[in-house]
Amino acid sequence: MPFNQKPQKFNAKINAVTVGTGDKAVVIGGNSTFPFYTFDNPTENAPKIGVEITDMGLDDFAPGIRAYYEGCTTMAEIAKKAAAMEGGDFVVLNLDGGDPNGANKSTEELIAVVKEVAEAIDCPLVVEGCKNVEKDAELLPKVAEALQGRNIIVLSEKEENYKAIGAAAGLAYNQIVGAESADDINLAKQLNVVTTQLGVDAKKIVMNVGTATVGYGYEYVASTLDRVRAAALEQNDAMLQMPIITPVASEAWAVKEAVVSEEDFPEWGPREERGVEMEVSTAASVIAGGADAVILRHPKSVDTIARLVAALM
């Protein structure tokens, strides 16, 4: 008896958000099926890959990453090299140095770095804050102002600072707002609701619904991704139809498997290989779960995920 497949069609779709300007702009989201369900409907836009760099330079990166940027001495040179990485679609500048509990760089100093990077590249740019809600509330509106007209994603707006960041990025300077919540569909939806109530266009919002490396509470991420995508498509929930961007690199390269030395755990093998494996396995998992874009760091990881996405399309 022949098998007659019945495609599952939805009357809803994920918002298509254009990042950047001109010929190098990319579109995140825009699909009307579950991830890679091409047997139900063609995938309009494949998941995109961001290449992460940081204002703190390369000292804390793995040797293979530093080798890729060999010869780069300025942030502009690092940014150009990141933009040229095979498989990458956009550059992500992480402003780690702004953390008051770390380097505590001034907003003025960080804005100078942001401008240097933006002027060096013509591909789309994502600027991520320092993860301190008070400092980001001060810093990210200034980033949005400095890069007005570049159509960047500003990561991350949170419940504690959404008024400052959402109003500046999404309204005053017409950037894309990255809304970050912690592995809870209700928190993700609520942040989108209050952001749109500020007047921000729902199609100028992307979500980071939570991040964890595989093996480190990842089941909460998987569950959240599944529930968000199902609500967006099956229930046509407009407040959950924003594309999802997941910062993988900063999580994957901070876990034990990517940090401890080979001398301490010889049976685990080379440390850098472990880091790449953690980054790749996490990125593959979140893409399969519904992320429309991931942020990676190692050239091997970027290449592997790019080839995986191409094979599944």
Side-chain angles (χ1 to χ4, degrees), residues 1 8 22 26 59 87 89 117 128 161 164 179 206 209 216 222 227 245 248 251 270:
M1 185 175 180
Q8 186 177 22
V26 299
D59 290 345
D89 298 295
V117 167
E128 185 172 4
N161 58 21
V206 299
V209 298
Y216 287 83
R227 295 183 66 197
I245 183 170
V248 171
E251 294 283 335

Side-chain angles (χ1 to χ4, degrees), residues 86-106:
E86 189 69 28
D89 298 295
F90 57 92
V91 170
V92 181
L93 174 60
N94 192 320
L95 298 177
D96 282 334
D99 187 356
N101 299 311
N104 196 24
K105 293 183 181 180
S106 69

Side-chain angles (χ1 to χ4, degrees), residues 159 180-192:
E159 182 182 3
E180 179 180 342
S181 53
D183 299 324
D184 185 300
I185 185 173
N186 296 312
L187 294 177
K189 180 174 180 176
Q190 178 62 20
L191 185 53
N192 291 336

Side-chain angles (χ1 to χ4, degrees), residues 14-64:
I14 306 305
N15 298 339
V17 176
T18 300
V19 187
T21 59
D23 295 339
K24 296 291 184 70
V26 299
V27 178
I28 297 176
N31 297 311
S32 58
T33 66
F34 290 117
F36 304 109
Y37 277 37
T38 52
F39 42 81
D40 282 341
N41 223 21
T43 300
E44 290 189 24
N45 297 299
K48 301 300 190 292
I49 301 171
V51 179
E52 183 190 64
I53 58 176
T54 170
D55 69 290
M56 297 298 288
L58 304 168
D59 290 345
D60 292 335
F61 284 5

Side-chain angles (χ1 to χ4, degrees), residues 187-205:
L187 294 177
K189 180 174 180 176
Q190 178 62 20
L191 185 53
N192 291 336
V193 168
V194 295
T195 302
T196 56
Q197 287 176 345
L198 288 175
V200 178
D201 185 351
K203 294 184 179 180
K204 294 286 283 186
I205 300 172

Side-chain angles (χ1 to χ4, degrees), residues 5 22 26 31 36 43 48 80 84-85 118 131 139-140 182 204 241 243 246 250 255 263 281-282 284 299:
Q5 182 174 324
V26 299
N31 297 311
F36 304 109
T43 300
K48 301 300 190 292
K80 287 179 181 178
M85 189 177 292
K131 300 180 178 63
L139 171 62
L140 293 179
K204 294 286 283 186
Q241 289 172 347
T246 304
S250 56
V255 298
E263 289 74 21
S281 56
T282 303

Side-chain angles (χ1 to χ4, degrees), residues 140-176:
L140 293 179
K142 296 292 186 181
V143 170
E145 179 183 15
L147 299 188
Q148 190 171 7
R150 288 294 296 263
N151 196 32
I152 68 167
I153 297 178
V154 177
L155 284 179
S156 283
E157 167 206 78
K158 298 182 181 179
E159 182 182 3
E160 299 90 338
N161 58 21
Y162 79 91
K163 290 182 179 179
I165 296 173
L171 291 177
Y173 304 112
N174 197 33
Q175 310 284 16
I176 301 162

